[in-house]
Amino acid sequence: MIREQGEVADRGGLVRVLSDGALAGPVADGRLIPVLVIDTAGRPDIRELVRQHKHFSPGDAKHRWATSPEDEDLVVLMLTFDRPSEVDVVLAFSIEDEGILVDAIVRCGMVYLQPGTERSRVSTTVGDPKVLVELPDTGFGPYWDSLFEKRMANVIAAQMKVSSGHAKSRAKEIIAEMRQVTSLRIGV
Amino acid sequence: MGGTAQQLFDLLSIMISVVAVLVSLGLGLSSRRTARRALRISERAEARLMPHFDLYLQDAAVWTSPRDATREYGVHLRITNPTDLPTAVVVAELHISYSRADHTAAVKVPTANAPQFVGDIDTIELPRSLQANDATSGWMIFHVPEELLSKTDVQRYDLEVRDVHDVIRSVQILMFPEKPHAK
């Protein structure tokens, strides 16, 4: 079960993220927008949504972030597309392994979804169809900041065998350094 | 003599009671009918204050571009507002359900702002206001690029219209006869 900041939701129909990257361009004033290559082998509806988007843009989509009381490393992004067709996409992320990716998505407020295969890489499939999803702030930002920091501190404390105070300050440093990269603007 | 008078008095009392009961029953039934009629009138008046609109499909047609297979689907509608509330039609979409390769899908096509090759017809531009007890009619055009429906089997067309009160009405469209495009 997933808790969404006080609510509980089912985790079903997860779509795997195969690889990720970032694109910059005039869309967001040169900001790097995260790109998620997702496994749509069993989801022809997602592939069809991306195909439809080529002709009917912008569409309508809602999103919600969720965490799990049973797994402190898990954060979930639930997307509900309404137009041009009705499709649900649920993406799960490991904070330890993909925290910086989630951080980039939360801070940028946008993400590209690109149907792909195991071999797809963003750098080699730049021209492939993808859909840009806007994720307006829902108040998850501050909650995410503290969650990210806490999880990274726990990981550092466990791996480096240091005190929690030291791990916490080290986690803040690491996160700040990573954010310097993800907040780059190109061509502006 | 006294006994006879008493019997007569008792009989008269009973008769008066029966008449009184019958009159009360009659009055009660009449009041009940009146009350039910008043309730129906009140409910109809109440309904006129609830947001509502009706759709009537008058015609449908499809025009194909002279250059490629892009199509413009047209729906001629009459939209009526039978209530005492003003409203406005704000969204209209053509929902196309189709099958493609190994799956079925649906797409919501928004109204086209400016038909490209339909020609000169009266279109309903959105949002369209409707005053109380008002009606409007005209065409709504939906532009469908050739590539979207190529290699698909269309299963169904539905038109969905929404007003400013979030009331939704839909109508299935069984066929779109082809019409010549504007030259």
Side-chain angles (χ1 to χ4, degrees), chain A residues 74-131:
Chain A
L74 180 68
V75 65
V76 171
L77 175 61
M78 294 182 283
L79 299 167
T80 303
F81 293 89
D82 195 41
R83 288 178 180 82
S85 57
E86 294 174 11
V87 174
D88 291 328
V89 178
V90 180
L91 304 163
F93 302 93
S94 156
I95 300 176
E96 179 178 346
D97 297 332
E98 299 163 305
I100 194 57
L101 173 61
V102 174
D103 191 71
I105 295 171
V106 171
R107 294 169 73 81
C108 180
M110 296 181 210
V111 66
Y112 279 108
L113 293 186
Q114 176 182 321
T117 63
E118 296 280 356
R119 290 189 301 273
S120 301
R121 293 293 177 268
V122 174
S123 58
T124 57
T125 56
V126 172
D128 280 13
K130 51 182 70 67
V131 63

